[in-house]
Amino acid sequence: MKRSPLPPVALLAALLLAGGVACRERPPEAGALRVELPAPAPAAEPAPTGEEAPAAAVREPSSAPPEQVEEYEARRPKTVLQLQPFRATTSIQIEDAAGESGVATLVDLNPLIHGWFLLQLQWLNGDGGGWYHLENPDPADQEVALDPRFLHGLVLRRGGRPWPCDLWAGGSLAAARSGRQVEAPLCDGHLYLRNRVEGRKTTLEWATDMLRDFVWQGEQITVFVREQFYKDAFLATSEVLERADPAAGDRPRPRGAPDRPLVDPRWDGRYLVPVGLGINLENDVANQVLVGRWYRARRLPGIYVSAIQPGLVSEEVIRAQRGLVNPLDEVESSALTYMVAFDLERFDVEFALGTEHPRVTWSDRAPAMVRDASLPGPDGIGAISPLVSTGLVSPFHEKRVAATFTAGFKRTHGAFRFSELAFKHSGSHYGFIEHGTVLSKLQPDLATAIVWDDGRVELKTWREEDDADLVRIRHARQNGLPIIDHDSETGVSKVGALVPKWSLGNWSGSQDKRLRTLRAGICLQEGEEGRFLIYGYFSSVTPSAMARVFEAYHCRYAMLLDMNALEHTYLAVYRTE
């Protein structure tokens, strides 16, 4: 949490509110889940050209064509295009400025989401052409299409008004491809071309990737180093200080904050000293925070911060979890934990891959018997090209960024080695979807963070019957098993069944199954003040301590993010000056 503003390794990032981020620096290696405010009113539109068109109809989910469903489900090598069952493809004859003829093909990867497109140009003379990955910055209000009446580019429609955008006759597409911008604006910024970029790695990331990719038994070496040198490496703790103000325990929580956690009354009104928090709080006690109390993040409306130690939660929670979690030792009980809550009435959430991770190839964790050597990966693809993953917050979101956080395992650890899940669904590799585009299939029984087409955020365990709603998913990321699970039939939330089962739960750690380490997680709280997405930073714990804290914070559902190093468990907030 005390790092530079740009997230070093991100698989989940939040794009919230207004704020700035140095997103033109070299991007992180792994991607980001982002949280953002509803878009501001659009700027004045360029004057439309051509005849008026009727207002666009509201897009509704449609059934995938049977041949595309067959491609999606087939156990054979395929392209990332064939992994998109809902794609819509249009082709027209085109010409360039010199009158040379060709064919343009536009693939809307999910017409309901309408955010990502692949454009292919094929010229009859064989020159130029190729694939281009386009992003629609306003999919709710702007349609992108080919029109046979316009041979030089795409037609954008806002409010039913067509605006032809010259892409190839005027050379703007070629210029955007050859330029230095990672996301190059087209059509006066109403469309963006995503260009390939090299990500960046910390020394730790570089070393572990080299060992895993090129050294025999490299994974065992990284495990040995982690167990011997990184146990409690990031442990932060604090004495519990006597109350400086007798009335401190009676202070009301800030207006709009999440529900108060369940704290042992003995510690109510006492203080912790946060270590390396790095987020300024609206706090009238210098460098001290009340145990478990929510504080507003200074000048960041809708973001709240709380600090606790697992040993300070109420006896009610400890009794309820007896036999469901492993006992906590003294170090784990005193490890500082920071909870950062985002009011989902104010923020939207997005997810993005990084430039390199997570990959879509096989995980070495998956048993050899479930790995099909004829396939480059469990879904039949070995890469996502011609799609481009930038690892950056898109430039059209820059001024709205309020926070980013990291959160997902690399593919190396994103599958099961033990338990029945290791022998189902090709090892149950963790799935992910970005802008409605399936990059790794969602697998049953895994904890899943979802952003639906209407912007609603949900955390749940994915079921096979949920595949019927796949077309409605804007973003999704799976990450193992639930820490706190929710039973929709009974309405009861409780500790995930495999939280105390080290190998079966795929929690990672040492051979003695007791390794404490830096971990992060997210949960969803639904309380008096609304719905909150809560990020938890746990300085040195096991999943059992995470379950204790998440339950104390009234979490409906909670899941693991990433672990072991600051590069993997990182949250930053931003404020535009």
Side-chain angles (χ1 to χ4, degrees):
M1 283 192 159
K2 46 182 181 179
R3 305 285 293 187
S4 62
L6 186 66
V9 180
L11 287 182
L12 288 177
L15 182 83
L16 304 135
L17 195 71
V21 60
C23 65
R24 291 193 178 92
E25 297 181 24
R26 295 182 68 193
E29 279 294 329
L33 177 81
R34 297 174 292 214
V35 189
E36 69 195 59
L37 274 179
E45 294 298 320
T49 304
E51 64 180 87
E52 294 282 335
V58 176
R59 292 190 296 272
E60 296 289 348
S62 58
S63 299
E67 63 276 11
Q68 293 181 186
V69 173
E70 191 277 332
E71 286 180 332
Y72 173 79
E73 295 178 346
R75 296 282 300 165
R76 60 173 180 258
K78 65 185 74 171
T79 66
V80 72
L81 269 177
Q82 294 171 312
L83 199 59
Q84 312 311 315
F86 309 107
R87 69 186 187 273
T89 304
T90 307
S91 296
I92 64 169
Q93 298 290 326
I94 59 172
E95 63 180 34
D96 63 13
E100 184 67 38
S101 297
V103 176
T105 300
L106 184 69
V107 183
D108 187 339
L109 296 166
N110 184 331
L112 180 65
I113 306 303
H114 205 59
W116 273 9
F117 304 82
L118 279 173
L119 173 68
Q120 184 186 37
L121 301 184
Q122 296 171 293
W123 298 105
L124 296 185
N125 63 8
D127 293 337
W131 287 100
Y132 301 85
H133 182 179
L134 305 179
E135 184 168 354
N136 180 5
D138 189 11
D141 296 319
Q142 175 174 274
E143 292 190 3
V144 180
L146 288 169
D147 190 322
R149 295 170 296 178
F150 182 59
L151 307 183
H152 299 153
L154 299 174
V155 175
L156 310 182
R157 285 187 172 85
R158 295 174 69 94
R161 303 176 68 193
W163 177 37
C165 172
D166 187 336
L167 290 181
W168 42 85
S172 62
L173 188 60
R177 168 60 58 84
S178 62
R180 298 175 60 86
Q181 290 178 284
V182 178
E183 294 210 25
L186 299 167
C187 312
D188 292 339
H190 291 269
L191 201 63
Y192 282 79
L193 172 68
R194 296 167 66 95
N195 286 316
R196 299 193 184 282
V197 61
E198 181 183 354
R200 69 179 178 84
K201 298 181 181 182
T202 64
T203 302
L204 177 63
E205 283 294 298
W206 178 87
T208 55
D209 278 356
M210 184 191 69
L211 286 169
R212 287 165 176 157
D213 291 344
F214 302 111
V215 177
W216 180 69
Q217 292 190 331
E219 176 64 17
Q220 287 85 337
I221 297 174
T222 65
V223 170
F224 174 81
V225 172
R226 184 176 70 238
E227 293 177 7
Q228 299 301 316
F229 301 104
Y230 278 83
K231 182 177 181 179
D232 296 330
F234 302 102
L235 172 66
T237 189
S238 168
E239 293 184 26
V240 183
L241 304 178
E242 294 289 339
R243 63 179 70 188
D245 178 357
D250 300 324
R251 291 178 184 170
R253 75 172 187 263
R255 180 177 299 175
D259 290 348
R260 280 188 180 182
L262 298 172
V263 174
D264 189 318
R266 292 177 298 169
W267 312 115
D268 199 28
R270 296 197 181 187
Y271 291 89
L272 294 170
V273 179
V275 177
L277 176 59
I279 300 176
N280 294 325
L281 308 179
E282 293 183 1
N283 176 19
D284 59 356
V285 180
N287 200 36
Q288 295 180 6
V289 293
L290 288 162
V291 173
R293 298 303 177 89
W294 288 109
Y295 291 83
R296 290 191 185 97
R298 186 176 298 166
R299 295 172 60 193
L300 289 169
I303 302 179
Y304 304 87
V305 181
S306 176
I308 199 168
Q309 294 172 340
L312 305 183
V313 309
S314 73
E315 187 63 31
E316 171 188 349
V317 173
I318 295 173
R319 284 198 307 268
Q321 293 187 344
R322 193 160 290 142
L324 303 178
V325 300
N326 294 321
L328 309 187
D329 62 24
E330 183 177 348
V331 173
E332 188 172 13
S333 296
S334 64
L336 273 174
T337 292
Y338 301 128
M339 308 292 275
V340 184
F342 302 95
D343 183 351
L344 290 176
E345 285 296 314
R346 303 180 69 98
F347 305 128
D348 295 324
V349 179
E350 291 189 2
F351 167 79
L353 297 185
T355 54
E356 184 175 346
H357 298 291
R359 298 168 182 168
V360 293
T361 49
W362 291 101
S363 167
D364 290 340
R365 278 181 171 259
M369 68 178 63
V370 304
R371 281 184 267 155
D372 186 339
S374 69
L375 302 178
D379 301 313
I381 64 173
I384 66 168
S385 57
L387 294 174
V388 175
S389 186
T390 68
L392 288 174
V393 174
S394 297
F396 47 86
H397 285 319
E398 280 184 37
K399 295 182 180 180
R400 298 164 58 204
V401 173
T404 59
F405 58 89
T406 64
F409 284 107
K410 296 178 180 178
R411 177 49 63 94
T412 302
H413 298 123
F416 285 79
R417 177 175 290 159
F418 306 103
S419 85
E420 64 177 13
L421 289 173
F423 302 96
K424 294 168 57 176
H425 311 293
S426 301
S428 299
H429 290 70
Y430 305 169
F432 32 90
I433 293 173
E434 184 175 351
H435 288 288
T437 304
V438 179
L439 302 173
S440 180
K441 291 181 182 179
L442 301 186
Q443 300 299 336
D445 304 318
L446 301 189
T448 311
I450 303 169
V451 182
W452 296 103
D453 58 321
D454 60 2
R456 181 177 173 83
V457 177
E458 184 176 7
L459 306 184
K460 64 174 295 181
T461 300
W462 192 254
R463 307 297 181 195
E464 288 189 4
E465 55 267 28
D466 292 328
D467 283 345
D469 291 323
L470 195 64
V471 67
R472 294 183 50 238
I473 292 179
R474 183 176 296 161
H475 302 280
R477 180 62 159 103
Q478 293 188 310
N479 222 40
L481 298 172
I483 295 173
I484 300 294
D485 204 352
H486 182 77
D487 188 325
S488 57
E489 294 184 1
T490 64
V492 174
S493 294
K494 61 181 181 180
V495 177
L498 293 180
V499 164
K501 308 294 185 182
W502 206 272
S503 297
L504 298 182
N506 207 34
W507 302 115
S508 186
S510 65
Q511 293 180 352
D512 63 7
K513 306 178 183 180
R514 298 290 299 171
L515 179 65
R516 299 180 303 268
T517 188
L518 175 63
R519 296 177 185 267
I522 51 172
C523 87
L524 188 65
Q525 185 199 99
E526 296 182 346
E528 296 177 2
E529 297 294 335
R531 304 176 77 244
F532 294 85
L533 184 68
I534 301 178
Y535 174 96
Y537 174 97
F538 300 80
S539 63
S540 190
V541 299
T542 64
S544 291
M546 297 179 76
R548 178 177 289 190
V549 172
F550 278 136
E551 185 162 341
Y553 275 77
H554 311 285
C555 291
R556 171 189 173 93
Y557 193 100
M559 58 188 285
L560 186 66
L561 296 181
D562 209 342
M563 55 188 285
N564 292 331
L566 289 171
E567 295 95 318
H568 306 150
T569 52
Y570 173 87
L571 179 142
V573 295
Y574 307 98
R575 185 175 60 246
T576 297
E577 298 292 349

